[in-house]
Amino acid sequence: MSVRFKVVIPARYGSTRLPGKPLLPIAGRPMIAHVCERAREAGADEIVVATDDDRICQAVRALGIEAVMTRADHQSGTERIAEVVEQRGWAGGEIIVNLQGDEPLIDPAYLRETAAVLAGQRQAGIATLAAEIHDGEEIFNPNAVKVVLNRHGHALYFSRAPIPWDRDGFAEGRKLLSGRMPYYRHIGMYAYTVDFLRRYCGWEASDLEKTESLEQLRILWQGEAIAVKVVDKVPPAGVDTFEDLQRVEEFLSIAM
């Protein structure tokens, strides 16, 4: 059964490392065009780019994609998406997938899977993805966010630290995986119901969120469930640096 969903793409102009990032050219097109194409390939019912910059807004509309101007003071992509939801007046049960504006290589199947996970259960108003970690060094990499799951496939906790702590296994060598239980890396893609996003807007950032710099901890702090689907692999990294831009340029130039 196919799941109906919308995709909202938060896209800021003021990136510290790559100013104007969504408009930087990749294989002859602005990066945001490639991201929108991935959303189209996923079969989204509607695609909206949420931005705080008129240059991005105009470029997106020139592609035939809807763009919405949002406030400049949002602290996260989720907050920006929540503003779009209110502007559009979408119904409470609709599923919204958050696709970051710097993910031109995302597999469209992951968008569909995230929406399907959310549609397939009733306890959580938000769903996300994770992939098993096979490299011991990755567990100790603070840029690789780890997640621990309960028996229902819901997140117990997210952390930049190595969780769970393998007391005996790590005593033998921190790069060794004992195999006692799997470790999962969080993939920062989310699907939400509109009702969830409206609740989210009323919550202050928690101390956990501020300490780990992980917005999803605000949700666990409130006692809400986050459904997690384990997929086969982590998707290609997004574009954060000029080197990332070159990597994606090379990949897409060959693919096209």
Side-chain angles (χ1 to χ4, degrees):
M1 182 184 70
S2 61
V3 175
R4 302 190 66 176
F5 62 95
K6 304 178 189 297
V7 170
V8 180
I9 304 170
R12 293 176 57 251
Y13 191 90
S15 169
T16 303
R17 286 180 283 187
L18 280 177
K21 183 164 61 171
L23 300 182
L24 294 177
I26 300 177
R29 306 172 69 198
M31 179 163 59
I32 193 67
H34 295 283
V35 178
C36 291
E37 191 62 31
R38 302 294 85 76
R40 279 178 171 154
E41 292 167 355
D45 288 342
E46 192 172 347
I47 303 166
V48 179
V49 173
T51 185
D52 58 0
D53 191 278
D54 188 61
R55 288 164 289 188
I56 296 174
C57 191
Q58 295 305 318
V60 168
R61 288 172 179 169
L63 298 169
I65 299 290
E66 293 185 74
V68 171
M69 289 292 294
T70 57
R71 300 198 320 269
D73 61 348
H74 291 304
Q75 299 301 305
S76 68
T78 301
E79 291 180 6
R80 197 173 302 280
I81 290 172
E83 183 183 348
V84 172
V85 163
E86 291 308 310
Q87 286 193 36
R88 310 289 286 193
W90 286 332
E94 298 235 43
I95 293 175
I96 314 299
V97 175
N98 175 350
L99 173 57
Q100 295 299 316
D102 57 5
E103 297 279 357
L105 298 183
I106 194 69
D107 186 342
Y110 280 10
L111 302 180
R112 294 191 294 271
E113 284 196 64
T114 311
V117 172
L118 185 55
Q121 53 81 56
R122 297 181 179 178
Q123 290 181 291
I126 177 173
T128 190
L129 303 178
E132 189 169 347
I133 296 174
H134 299 287
D135 179 359
E137 290 188 2
E138 189 173 354
I139 293 174
F140 288 86
N141 178 359
N143 295 316
V145 177
K146 277 67 67 175
V147 57
V148 175
L149 309 180
N150 68 16
R151 66 189 181 94
H152 302 293
H154 293 164
L156 284 171
Y157 192 67
F158 297 85
S159 183
R160 298 183 183 278
I163 57 170
W165 182 264
D166 187 344
R167 186 192 66 174
D168 297 331
F170 290 157
E172 298 171 7
R174 292 191 176 188
K175 295 181 181 180
L176 302 177
L177 298 179
S178 68
R180 290 185 179 89
M181 66 177 301
Y183 284 79
Y184 296 111
R185 177 170 180 163
H186 178 227
I187 299 170
M189 176 179 292
Y190 300 97
Y192 329 86
T193 63
V194 168
D195 280 337
F196 169 83
L197 284 166
R198 288 177 175 145
R199 292 198 302 277
Y200 181 91
C201 286
W203 301 336
E204 296 289 334
S206 71
D207 288 340
L208 282 178
E209 173 185 357
K210 295 174 184 176
T211 299
E212 294 245 25
S213 191
L214 296 173
E215 65 170 306
Q216 61 269 41
L217 292 178
R218 185 184 314 189
I219 300 162
L220 296 183
W221 176 260
Q222 292 292 332
E224 296 253 352
I226 301 177
V228 182
K229 169 71 180 292
V230 177
V231 295
D232 292 336
K233 61 182 180 180
V234 175
V239 177
D240 286 321
T241 66
F242 182 71
E243 290 71 25
D244 292 335
L245 191 70
Q246 291 178 310
R247 167 180 54 82
V248 174
E249 168 82 33
E250 181 178 354
F251 180 89
L252 288 177
S253 295
I254 293 172
M256 296 172 67

